[in-house]
Amino acid sequence: MAPAVIVVGAGGNLGPSVVRALLAHRGDFRSVAILAAPEKKVKFVDFESQGMELVLGDYTDSNSYKGFDVAILLAGNDIMKFQLQMIDAAIAAGVRHLYPSEFGVDISQGPFLSERYFRDKHLTRDHLRSKAREVPGLCFTYIIIGVFGETFALSPVFGVDREKKEFYFYGDPETERSFSSMADTARYTVESILIPLEPGKQERTLRVPNGNWKVKDAIKILGEIEGVQYACNIKPLKEARELQEKSRQSGDTSEELAFSLKALFGTPYATVPKPWDNDKFSFAPMTLKEMFKSFF
């Protein structure tokens, strides 16, 4: 029987791309739905008119997940701490395939095991493994993509100041990083639902970045598309760590996480380790130039 899929966090950065990818594969699923709080219904009426079911409820209430086989959790930083409750509610309702909010770098690498930015994601992984030992047939998939091109180019979080046409980077700009588009990540996610896990496996990691590019080349490509040249301000990686610690001591969690992310982007571990799994899917991902052009 075709699975029924529900998306939590469809209004976030990646959410609309995942919804569009589900609609494109609508015929492969028994049903596709968005879980939303009643007061947020208006945000999704266009998707509802295209064939998405709207489930109005609480993401920590098991009733919200009844009738669904797969739950894609797109929890952002603001609700990441509630992801364990989402998982428990989904499992209680009968969901047996979970996509936790990963969609980034491979946090199984040693330096990331104690990284503040990923604390809640590690708690989620531990919780899923514990639940998998208790619940027969429960499985979960991690989607590893590196850094979203949209976040790099359109948000100051990775150092791009589009207003001043300046780029601030902590680390070596000659090193490569893995970049991905939200549209392609969504397609990988949705297609992967239709690829069964290996027999006897409950945990699956799919490494599917669009590709690797040097940081200096990424900012050059962005400038070429905009018709400008970004002024690059390169700083030592340790400076980001010092600012992260200063923010922690002052109690500014938002700034602490921001500098944690900037520091992570400066390390080689922001590059997705090979082998990759792109060849298991039906399409070729966009290049970085195509990616940047798609949202300008």
Side-chain angles (χ1 to χ4, degrees):
M1 181 184 294
V5 185
I6 190 166
V7 180
V8 181
N13 290 334
L14 181 58
S17 294
V18 170
V19 172
R20 285 190 286 269
L22 281 168
L23 286 169
H25 283 270
R26 181 67 184 81
D28 294 320
F29 301 107
R30 189 168 76 254
S31 64
V32 289
I34 293 169
L35 172 57
E39 64 271 17
K40 294 184 178 179
K41 177 180 179 179
V42 67
K43 291 180 63 175
F44 305 110
V45 291
D46 286 346
F47 287 135
E48 186 179 26
S49 68
Q50 297 174 57
M52 289 295 290
E53 177 186 347
L54 281 188
V55 176
L56 301 179
D58 190 303
Y59 50 65
T60 63
D61 182 353
S62 63
N63 290 316
S64 300
Y65 301 88
K66 284 185 177 178
F68 293 95
D69 309 291
V70 181
I72 301 174
L73 308 180
L74 305 176
N77 287 339
D78 54 337
I79 62 170
M80 189 72 70
K81 61 185 177 182
F82 300 114
Q83 194 167 205
L84 305 190
Q85 294 170 261
M86 297 178 198
I87 288 167
D88 288 348
I91 292 173
V95 170
R96 288 299 177 265
H97 191 174
L98 288 153
Y99 283 75
S101 186
E102 290 274 337
F103 308 102
V105 298
D106 186 353
I107 66 171
S108 68
Q109 299 174 92
F112 291 165
L113 297 179
S114 59
E115 183 62 52
R116 168 65 179 88
Y117 189 82
F118 300 117
R119 181 188 64 192
D120 292 326
K121 291 191 176 186
H122 282 300
L123 289 173
T124 296
R125 286 189 171 206
D126 291 342
H127 191 66
L128 281 168
R129 288 166 183 154
S130 174
K131 286 294 181 180
R133 290 191 291 269
E134 300 172 7
V135 182
L138 178 65
C139 61
F140 43 97
T141 296
Y142 305 128
I143 304 292
I144 308 300
I145 56 87
V147 173
F148 282 127
E150 292 91 336
T151 307
F152 174 81
L154 302 176
S155 165
V157 68
F158 289 120
V160 175
D161 187 328
R162 293 189 59 228
E163 183 176 338
K164 295 181 179 179
K165 304 305 177 187
E166 295 179 343
F167 177 55
Y168 295 84
F169 180 71
Y170 298 89
D172 181 1
E174 292 284 343
T175 54
E176 290 188 338
R177 297 292 176 267
S178 297
F179 290 88
S180 292
S181 73
M182 291 186 185
D184 287 335
T185 298
R187 293 175 71 187
Y188 284 127
T189 301
V190 171
E191 284 196 15
S192 74
I193 297 171
L194 304 170
I195 302 174
L197 275 69
E198 295 178 20
K201 295 285 188 180
Q202 290 180 280
E203 178 177 342
R204 174 175 65 177
T205 298
L206 295 173
R207 296 180 175 87
V208 285
N210 280 49
N212 286 346
W213 288 268
K214 287 184 178 181
V215 174
K216 70 169 189 177
D217 292 336
I219 196 65
K220 180 181 178 182
I221 291 169
L222 179 61
E224 288 172 351
I225 290 171
E226 293 189 83
V228 300
Q229 183 173 348
Y230 276 80
C232 294
N233 300 283
I234 309 304
K235 300 175 179 292
L237 183 59
K238 69 175 184 178
E239 188 173 319
R241 290 300 189 192
E242 290 168 356
L243 291 168
Q244 176 187 346
E245 176 59 18
K246 184 178 179 181
S247 299
R248 185 193 69 78
Q249 291 180 3
S250 70
D252 191 334
T253 302
S254 179
E255 277 294 297
E256 180 191 357
L257 291 175
F259 280 108
S260 173
L261 199 58
K262 291 178 192 297
L264 293 173
F265 187 51
T267 72
Y269 298 100
T271 306
V272 177
K274 295 183 177 181
W276 294 348
D277 300 292
N278 307 66
D279 59 357
K280 297 177 181 177
F281 297 86
S282 68
F283 63 95
M286 290 183 278
T287 66
L288 192 60
K289 180 174 284 190
E290 291 170 334
M291 196 188 309
F292 287 165
K293 282 184 174 180
S294 72
F295 48 77
F296 279 111

